[in-house]
Amino acid sequence: MARIELKNLAHSYLDRPRDEADYALKEMTHVWEDGGAYALLGPSGCGKTTLLNIISGLLVPTQGQVLFDGRDMTREPPEARNIAQVFQFPVIYDSMSVYDNLAFPLRNRKFQATEVDRRVREVAEMLDLTDRLKRRAENLTADMKQKISLGRGLVRPDVNAILFDEPLTVIDPHMKWLLRGQLKQLHKDFNHTMVYVTHDQTEALTFADKVVVMYEGEVVQIGTPEELFEKPAHTFVGYFIGSPGMNVLDCRLEGRQAWLGEHKLDLLAGHHVPAALGDKVQLGIRPEFVTVTRPEEGLPARLERVDDVGRYRIARLTLNDQAVAAILPEGSELPSDTAGVRFEPSHLHVYMDGHLSEGGA
Ligand code: ATP
């Protein structure tokens, strides 16, 4: 297992990148701790696969370094990195038995036959493949084949890290739940450094101890699921994590007061207001911390509709022409179409040009 360090790393697919927009991966410096379970989360095209391929050695970055336990691996080929990678679609040998497929990475590295047998059976047991070990892989379902791929990634005890690139895409939804749980358990048992790429927030939040959120080639936050929920470092994190996502409202700041049109909100001592304001000043508040009140008890808003999503209801309002969502407590009575909204002050965040404004009061 290894501690993975990314130092001033950036990548452009162009030969002569000129400005930031030419980079698929903007400059980043991060440490991924030894034995950590990380999810790389972000929308399509944000650079997840690019970053994963730089770590595995399939791609050499335009600038910066990749270090494993302090050793510079930037220009080392994949074989030299001792990394297991599981891709979106099964990579297995159809003509071999399930057993031989699982044994392959170990035999390739000259593990002793008894150790090969022990590991293959252990991994097969975890993935519920034991009764299929003798079968040829060829006629198995896509689900089963992808399980074998996962097994091949997990079978080696000596890897620096295991990288998963959307490995559950071809798996049916019920099996997905099971496998995700099993992967988390495997991480606990073996303590491998694991990096799991996905654009699905549920998948990321259930698998990882730390979620690395990417947006337009940038890592905008690395945090525990709680941190991403409680204190989104970027408006994108607030919007992407949570269902529905965080409300983001354009505002004007005057001293320690935020103005939403003609409506005023007092900021708390804990809210940081920098001396120089950004071009775009916004307030963020999660729908969980918005209360719908009578008009005179909050900022006056218009109730547009209520969505019932099964587990809870969401009130959709407009406040000064801006959309606001509020999660309603069970059984709550709603006022008529003119309503008020109240924001829980301790859960209100101030953003400058998308980034959370932090620092002393
Ligand atoms: P997805 O979830 O769709 O796989 P991703 O987050 O993994 O997306 P990347 O595949 O890393 O994103 O792509 C990042 C950016 O780099 C995108 O704009 C993409 O078009 C571009 N890109 C990726 N691979 C190449 C390539 N081989 N040549 C040129 N541009 C590329």
Side-chain angles (χ1 to χ4, degrees):
M1 264 62 66
R3 175 180 194 263
I4 301 173
E5 229 175 313
L6 312 175
K7 256 194 186 164
N8 307 109
L9 195 74
H11 188 71
S12 172
Y13 286 99
L14 304 179
D15 288 338
R16 288 203 195 92
R18 273 182 289 226
D19 54 19
E20 260 218 338
D22 286 344
Y23 282 81
L25 220 54
K26 313 254 172 16
E27 186 170 321
M28 58 179 72
T29 294
H30 297 291
V31 173
W32 298 15
E33 295 301 339
D34 188 1
Y38 292 90
L40 212 51
L41 175 70
S44 183
C46 72
K48 303 180 297 292
T49 302
T50 303
L51 181 52
L52 205 66
N53 289 345
I54 289 174
I55 296 173
S56 68
L58 293 174
L59 201 61
V60 176
T62 310
Q63 77 164 62
Q65 288 174 302
V66 179
L67 310 176
F68 287 1
D69 288 332
R71 218 184 118 207
D72 188 356
M73 304 298 276
T74 320
R75 278 160 208 290
E76 296 289 337
E79 316 79 80
R81 299 194 183 199
N82 215 4
I83 270 188
Q85 193 160 1
V86 181
F87 297 91
Q88 207 167 356
F89 298 102
V91 180
I92 58 168
Y93 297 104
D94 269 345
S95 57
M96 285 186 191
S97 67
V98 174
Y99 187 103
D100 288 340
N101 263 291
L102 293 176
F104 191 84
L106 298 172
R107 289 178 177 149
N108 219 11
R109 297 221 152 217
K110 312 271 181 275
F111 276 69
Q112 297 213 326
T114 48
E115 177 66 357
V116 172
D117 191 62
R118 194 183 65 76
R119 289 288 304 174
V120 167
R121 290 184 188 284
E122 197 176 358
V123 167
E125 192 60 36
M126 285 169 195
L127 293 171
D128 210 10
L129 288 170
T130 305
D131 58 352
R132 290 182 171 80
L133 280 174
K134 289 196 183 123
R135 296 259 306 262
R136 260 157 68 105
E138 193 172 32
N139 300 320
L140 297 176
T141 59
D143 272 15
M144 280 295 164
K145 287 187 180 178
Q146 187 62 347
K147 275 197 185 189
I148 303 171
S149 268
L150 281 169
R152 285 163 55 100
L154 295 165
V155 78
R156 279 175 51 200
D158 61 338
V159 287
N160 279 323
I162 308 179
L163 312 181
F164 301 94
D165 196 351
E166 310 229 13
L168 304 184
T169 309
V170 294
I171 308 277
D172 83 52
H174 173 66
M175 185 74 83
K176 249 186 206 177
W177 276 102
L178 287 175
L179 280 179
R180 214 157 45 214
Q182 278 168 337
L183 281 179
K184 188 144 183 99
Q185 188 56 45
L186 286 167
H187 178 257
K188 283 206 184 103
D189 294 347
F190 293 130
N191 221 26
H192 284 303
T193 308
M194 287 188 177
V195 182
Y196 187 107
V197 169
T198 178
H199 58 259
D200 178 332
Q201 59 158 314
T202 314
E203 220 159 279
L205 299 176
T206 48
F207 170 77
D209 306 328
K210 286 270 178 83
V211 182
V212 180
V213 186
M214 292 187 69
Y215 176 59
E216 294 184 346
E218 231 181 298
V219 170
V220 284
Q221 187 165 10
I222 301 183
T224 61
E226 293 73 27
E227 285 163 351
L228 301 183
F229 183 81
E230 291 290 337
K231 214 175 177 192
H234 193 277
T235 47
F236 174 76
V237 178
Y239 154 80
F240 201 61
I241 309 266
S243 180
M246 182 174 75
N247 296 295
V248 179
L249 303 164
D250 293 336
C251 75
R252 199 160 43 82
L253 284 188
E254 277 177 19
R256 304 202 54 78
Q257 289 174 336
W259 289 84
L260 295 156
E262 74 267 27
H263 309 304
K264 183 186 75 172
L265 273 172
D266 290 320
L267 299 179
L268 296 180
H271 286 124
H272 178 245
V273 178
L277 300 182
D279 289 337
K280 200 170 188 185
V281 185
Q282 290 166 308
L283 295 178
I285 181 101
R286 291 214 175 265
E288 287 79 353
F289 306 114
V290 179
T291 313
V292 182
T293 65
R294 289 208 295 269
E296 64 278 13
E297 293 168 334
L299 301 172
R302 184 177 175 78
L303 180 63
E304 304 293 348
R305 64 173 204 277
V306 175
D307 295 334
D308 193 336
V309 291
R311 275 178 305 152
Y312 48 77
R313 290 177 306 152
I314 305 162
R316 305 282 181 181
L317 306 114
T318 32
L319 165 64
N320 200 48
D321 287 337
Q322 303 197 68
V324 176
I327 292 185
L328 297 169
E330 222 172 297
S332 60
E333 290 277 326
L334 279 174
S336 60
D337 59 348
T338 43
V341 285
R342 216 169 31 222
F343 301 150
E344 179 66 51
S346 60
H347 290 279
L348 191 68
H349 306 295
V350 179
Y351 292 90
M352 298 289 156
D353 298 328
H355 293 274
L356 182 67
S357 176
E358 282 189 289

